[in-house]
Structure formats: C-alpha cells, structure tokens
Amino acid sequence: MLRHHFQSYLDGVRREGRYRIFADLERDAARPPYARWRDGSNCRDVVVWCSNDYLGMGRHPLVIDAMVKTAQRTGTGAGGTRNISGNSHAVITLEAELADLHRKDAALVFSSGYVANEAALGTIGRLLPDCLILSDERNHASMIAGIRASGADKQIFRHNDLDHLETMLRHAGHFRPKVIAFESLYSMDGDIAPISRICDLAEKFGAITYLDEVHAVGLYGARGAGIAERDGVMDRVDVIEGTGERLRRCRRLYCSRRGDLRHDPVRGAELHLHHRNATGSGGRRDTERRASQELRRCAHRPLASGRQDAPGIAQCRNSDDVFGLAHHSGPGRRS
Ligand SMILES: Cc1ncc(COP(=O)(O)O)c(C=O)c1O
C-alpha cells in the first residue's frame, strides 16, 4: 500500500519531467575544470562549467597539503557535535579569522551555507518579538527556509527595488522589529544589490540587515570579504553570511555578526538585542530576557545538524593558512 503510494508519486514526478538524475562525476584535480563522467559502462571526459569552485582552489596544492597534513595530525571526523565532543581548535581559529575578515565581533561556522542561513535567519526571526522579515524576491531557498522556520511575518520586496522596500518599512512603522534579508551578488542574474542604500533605509527605519555574501566572498573587496567590503559598507551590515565553498570549494559556512547582536549559540551565552530602536527602549529588557531564554533552549540546535566532521578549511594549520590562501587567489579576484 505504502509502496504503491510512493511509486505513483514518483511516476507523477517523472511524467512532469521533474525526476532528477544526478551526473556521476569524478573531478580531475590535475586538469580543472575537467571531470570524468560515467553513465553505465560509458566513461568520458567532460568540462564542468557550473561548479561553484570559482577559483579552482579546491585543487590548489596549498589547500590539499593543508588538508592532508591536518588529517594526519588530528585524524578525520570530529566524533560528534560540539556539544558532545568539544570544539575543534581549528574551527575556533577559523571563526576568529572570519570575524576579522568581515570586521565583526564574532563568527560561527556551520556545515553548509544552507544550514547557516536556515539556522541564523530562523533564530533571529524567532527571537525578535513581532518580527517582520523583509526579503528580496530573488533570495536563495535557504534564506526562505530560515524565514519560514522562524515563524516571523514575511514580506517580499521586488528584486533590488528600494522604493518597494521603503514602502514596506514605512508601513511597518519604526518600532516594529524588522530584518532586511538580501544577497550581495545574485548568482542567477549576476546583478549586485545596492547595499549602501539598503543600509540607509535600515538606519532610517531601525531595521537589522542580514546579507548573504555567498557568491562574493573571495572575489570582491581588498581582502576578498565580498561586495560589502568593496563598497566600504561592511561595518553598516549587521549579519554577514558567506561560504568557503566558492573560495576554496571547502564545505564550511559561516555567519558573522556585529556587536549589537551578541549571540553565542556555541556557549549558550546571553543575547542582547538592542538594535537601534528595533525593540523600543521600554521593551528592551523584556526582549533580552526572552531572547536569552530562547537561546538557551535552541543554543546548540544549529550545531546538532552542523557537525564538525567535514575536513574543510578547518584543516589548515593556523589562521594564516586558512585565509592566507585567499591572498594567493589574486588573479581570479575582481574588485
Ligand atoms: C545565495 C546562496 N546562499 C546560500 C547557498 C547555500 O550554500 P551551500 O551550497 O554551501 O549550502 C547558496 C547555494 O548555492 C546560494 O546560492
């Protein structure tokens, strides 16, 4: 009965042309972007133009060497979440390096970009009472998942349309907690958000800014921190989410935040949400109390899914190794 149910569902998916068959690929580190493609008994070389390894750093000798040496020194796998088996020293070093890269107080590494967006937006939206999240219509699915998970109200503004965004902000009123969620570089169209003008609006209406720099980290800005760095507005953005994936094809995602979002899920510490008028001065104490209770409850949730077992950039010997690699990537960088 159940089998029949799933079978007919799959038949429907096939009929609609939505059944996905993933390519069986083996990348060739010596000849990027070539890979061997297998299909049954057939095997041939193909060029992978749609990889996210924009700079080909996933096969860079420095990256491979750092990963091999670290695996030899510390072994592979974390053996559990941070809750269970402790925090990896390499991850702690990486978080400090990422916070410095984005000029933020702290950073938190997750297992993927998807998880970071889902956990961070989900948590922020849930912690702010009566929160309204204003989301660009072309935001990535992971941001949408986070917004949905937060349970907060959501309004979608037309892509990069500041007039539309301003209308929504004005309508929400100054005292309602608001989060503007957007990307810096939209990968499907290649267009760039007017970050500075979005920050102007955020400041005018007392909103928090949440910026996904996934497609820009490593490629833009003097130190490769992304479009916000290139535009000189990094300090005006509250939360920046990025990834080592595009930079080095290493599966680590992080989220860095400014001092007024003092949120430390790793250690279950206090959260102080006193973002410019966002909660109003009368409600601030109450908000902080509720936020810290909420955080204690969900403190380790992102990490339960974000295990530390992927080798990733955490394999590098020290922080210079981790982001020193970014500085080797000069030729590919646009700023
Ligand atoms: C804008 C954006 N954010 C987040 C993600 C998720 O990143 P990841 O592939 O590391 O899960 C993607 C994935 O392509 C993305 O395009």
Side-chain angles (χ1 to χ4, degrees), residues 97-114:
E97 187 81 15
L98 292 168
D100 176 66
L101 178 73
H102 293 288
R103 303 280 188 239
K104 300 293 170 207
D105 285 359
L108 193 57
V109 168
F110 296 82
S111 57
S112 76
Y114 200 101

Side-chain angles (χ1 to χ4, degrees), residues 52 111-115 117 140 142-143 183 185 187 212 214-215 241 243 245-246 251-253:
N52 286 327
S111 57
S112 76
Y114 200 101
V115 172
N117 269 335
H140 188 255
S142 52
M143 299 171 81
E183 298 180 26
L185 174 58
S187 63
D212 180 320
V214 154
H215 293 284
E241 183 252 7
T243 180
E245 178 101 337
R246 307 315 189 247
R251 209 152 179 86
R252 283 279 174 210
L253 199 289

Side-chain angles (χ1 to χ4, degrees), residues 113-253:
Y114 200 101
V115 172
N117 269 335
E118 200 177 25
L121 275 170
T123 304
I124 293 168
R126 195 172 54 251
L127 293 183
L128 284 165
D130 192 31
C131 178
L132 172 65
I133 303 183
L134 301 157
S135 174
D136 187 287
E137 70 177 338
R138 303 234 177 119
N139 277 344
H140 188 255
S142 52
M143 299 171 81
I144 296 164
I147 294 167
R148 191 175 297 133
S150 77
D153 284 351
K154 170 181 80 169
Q155 285 176 13
I156 297 168
F157 58 94
R158 286 188 294 272
H159 179 51
N160 281 345
D161 186 332
L162 296 178
D163 291 337
H164 197 204
L165 175 60
E166 178 161 7
T167 306
M168 287 176 170
L169 285 164
R170 192 180 303 283
H171 193 254
H174 200 82
F175 293 104
R176 183 170 189 191
K178 299 170 288 297
V179 178
I180 305 173
F182 62 112
E183 298 180 26
S184 61
L185 174 58
Y186 291 83
S187 63
M188 301 307 280
D189 306 293
D191 51 354
I192 288 178
I195 302 177
S196 170
R197 285 157 64 212
I198 290 177
C199 290
D200 290 344
L201 286 178
E203 281 156 19
K204 184 170 169 190
F205 292 98
I208 288 170
T209 41
Y210 182 100
L211 176 62
D212 180 320
E213 287 259 36
V214 154
H215 293 284
V217 171
L219 299 166
Y220 294 87
R223 300 197 310 158
I227 302 283
E229 184 187 36
R230 185 199 71 171
D231 293 357
V233 291
M234 212 155 55
D235 60 325
R236 299 179 67 197
V237 178
D238 293 295
V239 183
I240 295 179
E241 183 252 7
T243 180
E245 178 101 337
R246 307 315 189 247
L247 180 58
R248 285 169 293 274
R249 187 62 216 170
C250 291
R251 209 152 179 86
R252 283 279 174 210
L253 199 289

